[in-house]
Amino acid sequence: MEPALQHIVERVRAAAASATPLRIRGSGSKDFYGQTLIGELLDMTPLAGVTSYEPSELVVTARAGTPLAALEAELADQGQCLPFEPPYFGAGATVGGMVAAGLNGPARAAVGALRDYVLGATVLNGRGEVLTFGGQVMKNVAGYDVSRLMAGSLGTLGVIIEVSLKVLPLAPREATLRFQLDEAAALQQLNRWGAQPLPVNASCWVVDAGQPCLWVRLRGAVAAVEAACSAMGGERLDPATAAAGWAALREQALPFFARQGDECLWRLSVPGSAPPLDVGECLIEWGGAQRWLKAPAAQASRLRAAAAAVGGHATLFIADREQPAGAVAVFSPLKPPLDRIHRALKQQFDPAGIFNRGRMYAEF
């Protein structure tokens, strides 16, 4: 066992023996996400590097501390990418943090979520045991696909040591169209396009400089993208302007995301066919399925009720800077059956409860 991994294993075993909480961390770019930060720091950045990459097989394996920028640069050199467009939220973002946070970029509705691209993982559990799940091909799982449990677990189940990911070739052609539509008309149009064989890869509706605006990105074969541009109409943006806009959306750098006073950033996950929710000015992604808004934490009940009324849920994505940690639940409460499953998984993977305690829910 290499020294960097041996050190991490020894730290975990000692923490388990003394019931000392550990806070698993890469660069800390996503420290804002989740309930509370508790425990002694367990730094994963020394465990870095791409250990296997087979461009012809569309599979890459990287250690948890590998900088996400370095991984994407290596993929780009081979004309490939992580199609779910993971947000960085900081220059030092790591592969392990990307998987643990489970966040996706603008293309998620078209290409699937990060968890859909996790083929295998090596994980250190709360007993200090190194476990390997999955592999490096899509169809190799018999029984429960444990490796994908790591996606979005916020480090509460174990320490991600290494992960294998499916990658895809870059699209041959890309185009972005802009339309002047109000919220209701934009949602209706997105649903109409969703029922047609169009290469829609991402969408964003936002009020920009006082004007409601819908951006739609097309990706795919040259002929398919050009035919869709002709059929859909709208204003075609120059590639540089479009690329900068989508990158700003992914990194939440658009003016919409600037918060003032006691405003928090909320993420509402709802069916794409849901109508406007009458909860305030939104930015809408994923064909209507992800809606961002700014509101004080005191409005948590109202926002969660509005999302639940259409079959969705609300997440407190970024809290007010002055708000005490844990004052408002970040995630919607689990229903009893899901709560039992979460607790049972936590007990199996981390019986002493040392990993990222309270990060997802206050109880575990």
Side-chain angles (χ1 to χ4, degrees), residues 12-327:
V12 169
R13 289 175 178 170
S18 62
T20 301
L22 293 176
R23 177 160 66 95
I24 307 165
R25 185 178 186 267
S27 70
S29 63
K30 299 170 184 68
D31 277 355
F32 68 88
Y33 185 53
Q35 199 73 40
T36 55
L37 300 174
I38 297 173
E40 296 180 357
L41 184 64
L42 182 62
D43 182 15
M44 298 300 296
T45 54
L47 202 65
V50 174
T51 57
S52 175
Y53 179 30
E54 296 293 339
S56 62
E57 300 295 330
L58 300 177
V59 176
V60 64
T61 301
R63 291 174 176 166
T66 306
L68 183 53
L71 173 61
E72 292 204 302
E74 187 165 343
L75 295 176
D77 287 343
Q78 298 294 327
Q80 296 178 349
C81 67
L82 299 173
F84 48 88
E85 295 181 295
Y88 285 49
F89 297 136
T94 61
V95 171
M98 171 192 77
V99 175
L103 301 175
N104 303 279
R108 187 262 183 262
V111 304
L114 178 151
R115 67 174 178 270
D116 301 320
Y117 293 83
V118 176
L119 301 178
T122 299
V123 178
L124 180 64
N125 70 8
R127 299 180 180 88
E129 301 167 335
V130 178
L131 309 175
T132 299
F133 304 102
Q136 294 184 324
V137 296
M138 289 298 291
K139 295 182 178 180
N140 71 338
V141 178
Y144 204 73
D145 193 352
V146 175
S147 58
R148 294 186 182 184
L149 278 178
M150 300 300 122
S153 66
L154 291 178
T156 59
L157 296 180
V159 181
I160 298 172
I161 301 300
E162 188 175 80
V163 63
S164 294
L165 300 164
K166 177 184 177 183
V167 300
L168 290 180
L170 293 166
R173 181 62 57 92
E174 177 178 313
T176 296
L177 305 176
R178 182 168 59 190
F179 304 84
Q180 299 295 327
L181 296 170
D182 64 27
E183 182 179 359
L187 288 169
Q188 292 171 0
Q189 186 62 72
L190 286 168
N191 277 281
R192 282 194 290 268
W193 284 331
Q196 300 175 29
L198 297 168
V200 173
N201 174 263
S203 63
C204 174
W205 182 87
V206 66
V207 176
D208 183 16
Q211 296 295 319
C213 179
L214 173 65
W215 285 34
V216 178
R217 184 174 67 193
L218 308 172
R219 278 182 177 171
V222 174
V225 170
E226 295 303 324
C229 287
S230 299
M232 295 169 67
E235 174 193 0
R236 187 165 181 171
L237 302 182
D238 72 87
T241 299
W246 292 113
L249 172 63
R250 183 187 71 175
E251 299 303 321
Q252 296 186 350
L254 293 176
F256 171 87
F257 291 103
R259 294 173 291 123
Q260 298 180 349
D262 63 351
E263 287 182 332
C264 304
L265 181 64
W266 291 84
R267 180 181 65 191
L268 273 60
S269 301
V270 299
S273 57
L277 300 181
D278 192 27
V279 291
E281 182 180 317
C282 293
L283 182 150
I284 302 175
E285 289 189 85
W286 301 359
Q290 178 163 266
R291 307 187 189 188
W292 300 97
L293 72 147
K294 297 171 291 186
Q299 297 189 24
S301 297
R302 182 178 73 89
L303 298 178
R304 289 191 161 128
V310 294
H313 62 271
T315 299
L316 177 56
F317 196 75
I318 302 179
D320 167 25
R321 297 175 183 86
E322 303 301 322
Q323 177 182 307

